[in-house]
């Protein structure tokens, strides 16, 4: 049934919401205050006519990104968009009964993202397509430019197509090319290549290596196994130059990373020993080691090895001890964390419930949580608050611009 709707507010998943006698109706792409007309089906309007536009609506940066949903909020002006992300964090905390100061959302600039993952398919005419899946579909939306990514990443798209062409010979292969911009060039890891039938031939590998050389890639790997490395991909964390392992994790935006590092280090200044849990290859570890000695742990042995390899490049640090350990199955106990007067956690989206439950038994008076999921952050924060910690402040950070994704840094004091 076609209805005219007034959008009352923005939902937590980035859909405009209209209140009707039959309940809420979700309208992707609509903004608060707008009047739209469209067919309502199962409480949603997938395509609408814009009857009255919001003053906060602006021209989009990329039609392709609008189609695939990578940047579903690119049509919203910066100020209300950033304030909405702050409100999402506030409401998520409130659902757990948590009240605290929530700072303004820290913005990151366009054309600054340093990693991108592109699906590859062969088009009807044999041309290689790189892009993202369309919203609610398996259809591929081709990406030829990217207003979000660093131009140096966009510049290697032709090389990525040549590499994808090599690995698309098997009908079951569906390659995804993970490109990361490092201090020494672009690092590419390819996943989704069919291997059960024998995997790529020696000739295919040779052609992929040739394409990587022609494109001046720093490294090309297949499922984390290096095929060729012209230069060791390295990134700078604090004073250290870290050799990133193939397929290793990095924060998506250097600007967002810098904002997080600044707040984490500021929160623990004055402490003597800090635990950095879910540390990766040392994003926070090396900056923290400039102000305190650090005990670091992460489940990825390759990341811990990269961190240790970087020790000689960083001078004047307070000291770092690092270990590979699954903090979900074997969280560090209060005994393991003996002597740590501050603790930093940067877990994956699932949060760190098992590890968080160990922290009240430590002597730490400061805990800093870095999270890419406000829901699991709030769940874990409830554990700490119930144990006597106070959630002092939270800062949202817009690492994935124009998306519904929210990063944050929260500081707890005992």
């Amino acid at each position: 049934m076609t209805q005219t709707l007034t959008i009352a507010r923005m939902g937590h998943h980035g859909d405009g919401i209209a209140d009707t006698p039959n309940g809420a109706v979700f309208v992707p792409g609509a903004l608060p205050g707008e009047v739209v007309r469209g067919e309502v089906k199962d409480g949603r309007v997938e395509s609408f006519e814009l009857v009255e536009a919001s003053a906060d609506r602006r021209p989009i940066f990329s039609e392709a990104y609008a189609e695939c949903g990578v940047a579903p909020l690119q049509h919203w002006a910066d100020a209300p968009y950033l304030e909405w992300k702050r409100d999402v964090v506030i409401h998520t905390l409130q659902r757990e009964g948590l009240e605290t100061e929530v700072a303004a959302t820290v913005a990151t600039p366009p054309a600054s993202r340093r990693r991108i993952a592109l699906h590859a398919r062969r088009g009807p005419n044999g041309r290689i397509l790189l892009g993202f899946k369309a919203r609610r579909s398996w259809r591929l939306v081709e990406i030829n430019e990217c207003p979000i990514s660093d131009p140096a990443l966009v510049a290697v798209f032709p090389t990525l197509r040549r590499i994808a062409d090599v690995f698309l010979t098997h009908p079951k292969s569906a390659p995804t090319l993970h490109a990361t911009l490092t201090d020494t060039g672009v690092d590419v890891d390819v996943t989704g290549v069919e291997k059960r039938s024998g995997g790529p031939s020696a000739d295919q590998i040779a052609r992929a290596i040739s394409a990587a050389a022609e494109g001046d890639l720093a490294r090309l790997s297949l499922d984390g196994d290096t095929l060729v490395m012209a230069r060791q991909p390295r990134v700078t964390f604090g004073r250290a130059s870290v050799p990133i392992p193939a397929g290793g994790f990095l924060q998506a935006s250097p600007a967002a990373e810098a904002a997080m590092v600044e707040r984490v280090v500021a929160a623990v200044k004055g402490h003597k020993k800090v635990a950095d849990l879910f540390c990766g290859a040392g994003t926070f570890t090396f900056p923290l080691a400039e102000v305190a000695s650090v005990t670091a742990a992460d489940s990825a042995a390759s990341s811990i090895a990269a961190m240790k390899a970087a020790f000689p490049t960083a001078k004047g640090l307070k000291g770092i001890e690092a270990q590979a350990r699954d903090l979900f199955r074997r969280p560090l106990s209060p005994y393991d964390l003996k002597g740590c007067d501050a603790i930093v956690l940067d877990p994956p989206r699932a949060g760190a419930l098992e590890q968080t439950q160990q922290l009240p038994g430590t002597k730490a008076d400061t805990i800093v949580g870095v999270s890419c999921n406000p829901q699991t952050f709030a769940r874990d924060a409830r554990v700490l608050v119930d144990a006597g910690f106070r959630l002092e402040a939270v800062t949202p950070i817009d690492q994935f611009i124009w998306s519904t994704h929210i990063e944050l840094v929260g500081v707890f004091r005992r």
Side-chain angles (χ1 to χ4, degrees):
M1 180 175 62
T2 300
Q3 296 185 34
T4 299
L5 305 166
T6 299
I7 306 303
R9 62 195 183 280
M10 189 69 82
H12 285 192
H13 296 291
D15 295 337
I17 299 177
D19 295 314
T20 76
N22 296 320
V25 175
F26 295 82
V27 188
L31 296 177
E34 292 189 328
V35 179
V36 302
R37 179 185 294 275
E39 182 179 359
V40 179
K41 185 176 181 180
D42 298 327
R44 293 180 67 83
V45 174
E46 294 295 347
S47 178
F48 63 85
E49 172 194 353
L50 186 58
V51 178
E52 184 177 329
S54 166
D56 293 327
R57 180 174 285 274
R58 67 183 181 188
I60 63 175
F61 295 84
S62 168
E63 289 284 355
Y65 273 20
E67 188 178 357
C68 65
V70 169
L73 299 174
Q74 60 177 312
H75 60 293
W76 203 2
D78 288 341
Y81 158 72
L82 293 171
E83 183 59 25
W84 168 75
K85 289 205 166 185
R86 176 176 179 268
D87 287 341
V88 169
V89 172
I90 292 172
H91 295 153
T92 302
L93 293 173
Q94 287 176 342
R95 284 201 296 268
E96 288 287 350
L98 301 170
E99 299 283 344
T100 189
E101 174 190 346
V102 178
T105 304
V106 177
T108 54
S112 66
R113 183 165 172 164
R114 68 178 168 197
R115 59 180 173 87
I116 190 170
L118 295 170
H119 301 292
R121 301 288 186 273
R122 196 178 298 280
N125 58 359
R127 191 169 64 89
I128 301 300
L129 308 178
L130 292 178
F132 303 108
K133 294 172 184 174
R135 287 170 61 97
R136 306 164 73 89
S137 170
W138 288 100
R139 180 173 58 85
L140 191 72
V141 178
E142 186 176 15
I143 300 295
N144 291 308
E145 57 184 4
C146 181
I148 295 173
S149 297
D150 190 295
L153 272 185
V154 180
V156 303
F157 282 10
T159 298
L160 299 183
R161 289 190 184 91
R162 289 195 293 273
I163 293 170
D165 188 22
V166 172
F167 294 121
L168 274 167
T169 54
H170 195 286
K172 291 186 178 180
S173 284
T176 299
L177 293 95
H178 307 262
T180 302
L181 179 62
T182 74
D183 295 346
T184 54
V186 177
D187 183 22
V188 176
D189 184 46
V190 184
T191 61
V193 175
E194 171 63 27
K195 291 183 176 180
R196 286 176 294 182
S197 57
S201 67
D203 177 66
Q204 288 175 305
I205 296 296
R207 288 167 52 205
I209 289 173
S210 177
E214 290 174 9
D216 194 32
L217 298 184
R219 178 174 58 195
L220 175 65
S221 56
L222 185 61
D223 288 320
D225 294 328
T226 298
L227 300 181
V228 63
M229 185 165 66
R231 300 173 299 281
Q232 170 67 60
R234 308 185 76 92
V235 295
T236 301
F237 294 148
R239 298 174 186 171
S241 177
V242 183
I244 294 300
F249 173 79
L250 284 179
Q251 297 290 347
S253 163
E257 178 181 281
M260 290 185 275
V261 168
E262 177 185 357
R263 285 157 179 79
V264 168
V265 173
V268 304
K269 274 188 177 177
H271 292 77
K272 294 182 178 180
K273 186 176 182 180
V274 181
D276 183 15
L277 309 182
F278 306 95
C279 62
T283 304
F284 300 108
T285 307
F286 288 104
L288 286 169
E290 296 179 25
V291 299
S293 64
V294 181
T295 295
D298 193 274
S299 62
S302 60
S303 293
I304 295 298
M307 181 192 298
K308 291 180 177 179
F311 287 173
T313 71
K315 306 300 181 183
L317 301 184
K318 303 290 185 180
I320 299 172
E321 294 181 2
Q323 63 172 298
R325 178 160 172 161
D326 187 335
L327 298 177
F328 291 105
R329 297 180 179 180
R330 296 177 57 230
L332 292 176
S333 69
Y335 177 82
D336 297 319
L337 295 168
K338 185 178 180 180
C340 293
D341 52 358
I343 297 169
V344 175
L345 301 97
D346 181 18
R349 290 189 62 80
L353 183 60
E354 297 83 359
Q355 182 61 72
T356 301
Q357 291 170 335
Q358 297 292 322
L359 303 186
T362 71
K363 299 298 183 181
D365 59 31
T366 297
I367 296 174
V368 185
V370 182
S371 175
C372 59
N373 186 338
Q375 287 77 24
T376 56
F377 172 85
R379 178 202 66 196
D380 297 350
R382 183 75 259 172
V383 172
L384 295 176
V385 171
D386 287 347
F389 284 86
R390 176 174 60 90
L391 180 54
E392 181 178 81
V394 171
T395 303
I397 296 172
D398 187 27
Q399 173 152 235
F400 295 89
I401 63 173
W402 308 327
S403 78
T404 59
H405 187 101
I406 306 172
E407 305 270 343
L408 61 83
V409 176
V411 180
F412 300 82
R413 308 287 187 188
R414 196 185 288 272

